[in-house]
């Protein structure tokens, strides 16, 4: 017979907060639903390695569910399911509700760009019988992580006549891949003495792409100079109809080759390139699709350029979100200032999961733990909370109550120890428009690495969180 609990034990159960994992809390059915949901997410990861590919993959999902393209100026009616494709690189999804538009819009804003190696505008060169691409890295990378791994080439070339050519080499079975070489340990004495941050340089991130010269019709190497470079251009010219000058109007990137995979004997983790931030984009998309008949007007934003500061016409600092709210106001007879004041936003971005291999950079009590659910960050920033949208306690309470009502597994998460570093999200740009905003996202291990890690239960929790917010 179990002993009766003491008054103190009962009180502790009532007043203490104890973080629990999905494995402590969820039924077998819920756990298997999480694994099944992640099958769709992993497919999305494979299809969407760049922001352009993410826009295409997202539109394909939306069109199946009856969403249709919107142009600025078009009329909007209650019940409309729309998407605005911003230059093929960012996407704004609208599910127009039946309630008064002045009640505000429920916005989720994630990003679909990820750190990578962009090709320069004059990328191609040859040295000592090997051909290379010059790169300029995009976003915050740790350069050493990108050497000696297989890379794939993704992107678009817009020719002089405006014709667009899509390029995608390195992910299909049988495709060649590319790589950056590194020193052998035998000769790395000087390199080993450098710091991790200085041993690899930006200009050193050259991609090995070919090794054989162009062959003349007689089967002999061409007498022309730049023989290997010529064989590369001959291949690209035949396959894509491009010449070297077309690189000047191209957006080509080297991304890690290969598909998303299960990690671990139990298959509860996913390893992939670009969880940051497709792990918010995909759940926010499935949530708006699932809740397209919500009485609220919903907006799901998939932004570009977050990794470089949200600048430019496809970044979150562009006026488009406000422009679309103005269109909603105009066509649904609302006041845009009132709509924004009454709107709510989940700024959806990954959080730094507590890594037992590196406990020294986290403060465990306030870090997000893997498999303990989606993480809400009241503030981000660095130092004395500088450069952060610090969400009001009232907003945190409101969102928390939505989650708890819907049985969403969630936790709070702070980005590392105080003064260890820091980072930001799009939250502050949205808050600037007088929209109450709080950060929410999935804990990630090895964030910004070519192979990032998340837990399937956290991905599913993100979907449930965005869905609760849409209801
Ligand atoms: Mn991010
Ligand atoms: Mn990031």
């Amino acid at each position: 017979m179990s002993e009766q609990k003491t008054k103190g034990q009962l009180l502790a159960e009532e007043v203490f907060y104890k973080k629990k994992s999905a494995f402590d809390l969820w039924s077998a059915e819920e756990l298997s639903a999480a694994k099944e949901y992640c099958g769709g997410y992993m497919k999305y990861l494979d299809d969407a390695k760049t922001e352009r590919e993410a826009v295409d993959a997202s539109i394909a999902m939306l069109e199946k569910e009856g969403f249709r393209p919107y142009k600025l100026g078009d009329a909007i009616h209650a019940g409309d399911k729309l998407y605005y494709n911003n230059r093929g690189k960012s996407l704004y999804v609208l599910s127009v509700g039946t309630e008064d538009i002045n009640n505000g819009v429920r916005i989720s804003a994630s990003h679909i760009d990820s750190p990578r190696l962009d090709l320069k505008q004059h990328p191609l060169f040859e040295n000592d019988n090997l051909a290379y691409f010059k790169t300029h890295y995009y976003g915050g990378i740790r350069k050493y992580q990108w050497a000696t791994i297989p890379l794939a080439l993704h992107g678009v070339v817009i020719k002089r006549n405006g014709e667009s050519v899509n390029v995608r080499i390195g992910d299909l079975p049988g495709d060649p891949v590319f790589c950056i070489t590194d020193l052998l340990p035998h000769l790395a004495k000087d390199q080993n003495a450098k710091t991790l941050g200085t041993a690899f340089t930006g200009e050193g991130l050259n991609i090995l792409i070919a090794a054989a010269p162009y062959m003349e019709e007689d089967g002999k190497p061409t007498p022309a100079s730049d023989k290997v470079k010529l064989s590369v251009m001959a291949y690209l010219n035949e396959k894509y109809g491009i010449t070297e000058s077309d690189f000047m109007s191209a957006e080509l990137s080297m991304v890690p080759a290969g598909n998303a995979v299960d990690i671990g004997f139990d298959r509860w983790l996913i390893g992939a390139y670009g969880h940051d931030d497709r792990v918010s984009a995909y759940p926010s998309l499935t949530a708006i699709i699932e809740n397209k008949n919500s009485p609220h007007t919903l907006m799901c934003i998939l932004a570009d350029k977050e990794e470089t500061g949200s600048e430019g016409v496809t970044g979150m600092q562009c006026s488009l979100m406000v422009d679309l709210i103005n269109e909603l106001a105009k066509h649904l007879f609302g006041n845009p200032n009132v709509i924004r004041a009454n709107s709510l936003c989940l700024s959806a971005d990954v959080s730094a999961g507590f890594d037992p291999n590196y406990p020294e950079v986290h403060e465990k009590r306030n870090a997000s733990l893997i498999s303990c659910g989606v993480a809400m960050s009241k503030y981000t920033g660095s130092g004395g909370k500088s450069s952060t949208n610090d969400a009001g306690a009232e907003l945190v309470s409101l969102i928390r109550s939505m989650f708890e009502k819907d049985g969403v597994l969630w936790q709070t998460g702070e980005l590392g120890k105080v003064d260890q570093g820091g980072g930001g999200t799009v939250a502050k740009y949205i808050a600037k428009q007088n929209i109450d905003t709080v950060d929410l996202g999935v804990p990630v291990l090895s964030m910004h690495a070519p192979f990032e890690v998340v837990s399937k239960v956290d991905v599913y929790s993100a979907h449930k969180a965005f869905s609760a917010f849409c209801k």
Side-chain angles (χ1 to χ4, degrees), residues 276 306-307 448:
D276 178 8
E306 193 279 339
E307 298 294 359
H448 283 206

Side-chain angles (χ1 to χ4, degrees), residues 111 276-277 306-307 349-350:
H111 68 93
D276 178 8
D277 189 33
E306 193 279 339
E307 298 294 359
D349 208 340
V350 292

Side-chain angles (χ1 to χ4, degrees), residues 428-470:
K428 59 182 176 179
Y429 307 118
I430 295 165
K432 214 176 240 183
Q433 304 301 335
N434 193 30
I435 295 174
D436 264 318
T437 304
V438 65
D439 279 295
L440 187 84
V442 169
V444 177
L445 302 179
S446 306
M447 192 196 294
H448 283 206
F451 188 74
E452 300 177 314
V453 180
V454 300
S455 163
K456 291 183 183 179
V457 294
D458 295 332
V459 180
Y460 189 55
S461 296
H463 166 76
K464 289 186 65 174
F466 291 116
S467 190
F469 178 69
C470 289

